[in-house]
Amino acid sequence: MPKRVVIEPHLSTGDLENRYRQSQDSIERGHYQIIWLLALGKTTLEVSTVTGYGVSWIYELVRSYNRYGPEILGDLRRNNR
């Protein structure tokens, strides 16, 4: 049975959905979609199928989100020199 992950409540599911729907950046949009779907109780396999992201990447994203919050979502390469 696919594992369900725990999402820290940095944002409500409604806030996650709003940020997902309003995001203009495709990477940030995908990240919010993943966290939102998992917060709704979807399994990692279901989310992987819907989004096209691999399960291992989803786990990595969740670990970062749970630790740092929504600031970690999106394409952080823009901060590189």
Side-chain angles (χ1 to χ4, degrees), residues 2-80:
K3 187 174 169 185
R4 293 188 193 275
V5 296
V6 176
I7 302 295
E8 293 294 325
H10 296 291
L11 297 170
S12 70
T13 55
D15 288 338
L16 289 168
E17 179 183 11
N18 287 338
R19 290 187 184 199
Y20 157 65
R21 296 194 185 280
Q22 294 174 359
S23 179
Q24 300 296 314
D25 178 65
S26 62
I27 294 174
E28 181 181 67
R29 182 178 172 88
H31 290 180
Y32 274 111
Q33 183 183 24
I34 289 168
I35 300 299
W36 171 51
L37 292 173
L38 291 170
L40 290 175
K42 305 290 185 193
T43 65
T44 53
L45 186 58
E46 290 172 321
V47 173
S48 177
T49 302
V50 169
T51 63
Y53 284 89
V55 172
S56 60
W57 172 244
I58 291 172
Y59 286 133
E60 183 65 33
L61 184 65
V62 168
R63 277 191 293 274
S64 296
Y65 177 79
N66 283 345
R67 187 170 187 182
Y68 301 109
E71 297 79 31
I72 201 71
L73 302 179
D75 187 359
L76 300 180
R77 294 176 296 183
R78 66 181 173 265
N79 298 329
N80 291 347

